[in-house]
């Protein structure tokens, strides 16, 4: 005898339905991966700041003249040269300089370019004495100057540099100076000729001529008079380019002396803007005049 429950055909179906439902439930419980958070720098680069100005606002990029950026070396040199000429033109006004002297006065110099054709300049050199304001300053000033008060003085000058005369000389320099306080005046001219000896040596020849005038103040019963002194000097300088050394030999003759006074000197450039020079020369009294100096010169 066989026993049957009557549900034998339904068990496989129920088992399959249970397994399928379990799979759906497990799939529903799986958490999807979280989206990666954007990097701060990447987001900042991708998103422009609303406060940043738009430099191209209102500009049609297609109409820009990009050829203005095509500047060759020659054009750039012209621009630099024009800038230098503008700076030089701005300096054509009065050029003032002042230095304090050891005795308390001030050395003031002023000059101005008049013409660039012959490099003509005018100027004045002045010694400005300070006025004492207290009795102690008055006594100190007299003690420092041999019992006398400092007096202001000055001289006016004019100078010009012109070209030479062909192959005879290269450059002509003329200078005139007047000192009304001491009734002195001077008019001088120099002729210069440069001759290259080799690539490392050069020779410079110079002849100078000057007239010095000295006046005397008229006194009651005594008329003033004027004396003139004529002077000429000749010099030759050899310059060694590689070592920065120059050697000079010259002589001077004036109407107040009855013989040529010879002079020999040398100058050595130590490094930038610093030089040392020494000289040995004769005097009208027969003694030998010796000097050794060091100088520093800087322009800006």
């Amino acid at each position: 005898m066989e026993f049957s429950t009557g549900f034998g055909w339904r068990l496989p179906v129920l088992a399959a339905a249970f397994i399928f439902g379990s799979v759906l439930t497990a799939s529903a419980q799986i958490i999807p991966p979280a989206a990666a958070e954007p990097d701060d720098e990447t987001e900042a680069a991708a998103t422009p700041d609303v406060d940043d100005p738009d430099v191209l606002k209102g500009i049609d990029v297609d109409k820009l003249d990009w050829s203005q950026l095509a500047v060759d070396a020659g054009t750039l040199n012209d621009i630099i040269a024009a800038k230098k000429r503008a700076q030089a033109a701005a300096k054509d006004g009065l050029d003032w300089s002042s230095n304090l002297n050891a005795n308390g006065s001030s050395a003031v110099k002023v000059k101005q370019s008049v013409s660039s054709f012959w490099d003509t300049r005018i100027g004045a050199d002045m010694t400005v004495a300070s006025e004492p304001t207290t009795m102690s300053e008055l006594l100190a000033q007299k003690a420092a100057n041999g019992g006398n008060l400092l007096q202001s003085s000055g001289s006016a000058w004019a100078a010009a540099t012109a070209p030479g005369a062909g192959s005879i000389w290269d450059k002509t320099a003329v200078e005139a100076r007047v000192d009304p306080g001491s009734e002195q005046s001077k008019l001088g001219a120099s002729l210069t000729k440069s001759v290259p000896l080799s690539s490392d040596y050069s020779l410079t020849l110079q002849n100078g001529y000057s007239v010095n005038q000295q006046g005397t103040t008229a006194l009651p019963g005594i008329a003033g008079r004027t004396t003139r002194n004529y002077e000429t000097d000749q010099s030759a300088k050899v310059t060694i380019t590689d070592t920065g050394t120059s050697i000079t030999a010259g002589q001077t003759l004036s109407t107040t002396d009855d013989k040529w006074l010879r002079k020999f000197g040398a100058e050595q450039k130590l490094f930038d803007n610093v030089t040392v020079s020494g000289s040995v020369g004769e005097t009208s009294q027969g003694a030998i005049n010796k000097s050794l100096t060091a100088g520093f010169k800087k322009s800006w």
Side-chain angles (χ1 to χ4, degrees):
M1 182 170 70
E2 294 180 358
F3 181 77
S4 175
T5 60
F7 294 93
W9 62 275
R10 296 180 180 179
L11 288 176
V13 176
L14 291 175
F18 177 78
I19 294 172
F20 182 75
S22 300
V23 171
L24 293 178
T25 303
S27 300
Q29 292 177 353
I30 296 176
I31 300 175
E37 296 182 0
D39 185 64
D40 294 340
E41 296 181 356
T42 305
E43 183 178 2
T47 305
D49 191 352
V50 295
D51 296 333
D52 292 341
D54 187 2
V55 296
L56 297 179
K57 183 178 180 180
I59 299 177
D60 190 353
V61 180
D62 297 333
K63 295 183 179 180
L64 293 177
D65 186 8
W66 300 104
S67 63
Q68 298 294 327
L69 300 178
V71 180
D72 57 3
T75 305
L76 183 60
N77 292 335
D78 294 340
I79 295 174
I80 296 175
K83 184 177 180 180
K84 289 183 178 180
R85 289 194 298 268
Q87 292 176 349
K91 294 182 180 180
D92 286 341
L94 292 176
D95 183 10
W96 291 84
S97 64
S98 176
N99 294 313
L100 184 62
N101 297 326
N103 59 2
S105 63
S106 298
V108 181
K109 296 183 179 181
V110 56
K111 64 181 179 179
Q112 181 179 17
S113 177
V114 178
S115 173
S116 59
F117 178 68
W118 272 14
D119 190 17
T120 306
R121 308 167 304 278
I122 59 174
D125 299 335
M126 298 168 286
T127 300
V128 181
S130 59
E131 294 291 337
T133 57
T134 62
M135 182 59 67
S136 60
E137 291 180 0
L138 177 63
L139 296 176
Q141 191 176 112
K142 285 187 175 182
N145 296 277
N148 299 321
L149 289 176
L150 290 176
Q151 300 293 329
S152 299
S153 61
S155 61
W157 56 267
T161 303
S167 60
I168 302 177
W169 69 84
D170 300 331
K171 183 177 66 175
T172 304
V174 180
E175 181 179 358
R177 181 178 293 270
V178 177
D179 186 351
S182 58
E183 298 186 14
Q184 291 181 348
S185 61
K186 179 179 179 180
L187 176 62
S190 63
L191 309 177
T192 305
K193 174 67 177 179
S194 297
V195 180
L197 301 178
S198 66
S199 59
D200 298 328
Y201 298 88
S202 63
L203 173 64
T204 303
L205 303 175
Q206 180 173 305
N207 288 337
Y209 309 91
S210 63
V211 180
N212 298 279
Q213 181 173 292
Q214 176 67 61
T216 57
T217 305
L219 299 175
I222 302 176
R225 62 188 184 91
T226 301
T227 59
R228 293 183 178 88
N229 177 32
Y230 299 89
E231 183 177 314
T232 179
D233 63 88
Q234 302 170 353
S235 66
K237 181 173 72 173
V238 177
T239 302
I240 307 174
T241 307
D242 290 342
T243 61
T245 305
S246 60
I247 302 173
T248 306
Q251 57 183 3
T252 303
L253 178 64
S254 65
T255 54
T256 58
D257 302 322
D258 57 354
K259 62 178 182 178
W260 287 92
L261 302 178
R262 295 173 178 84
K263 182 178 181 180
F264 179 81
E267 182 178 272
Q268 176 64 53
K269 182 178 180 181
L270 300 180
F271 44 88
D272 291 343
N273 307 316
V274 177
T275 58
V276 176
S277 60
S279 64
V280 178
E282 299 176 334
T283 63
S284 58
Q285 292 79 17
I288 300 298
N289 183 20
K290 302 177 182 180
S291 67
L292 179 63
T293 59
F296 174 80
K297 182 177 181 181
K298 179 67 174 180
S299 300
W300 61 88

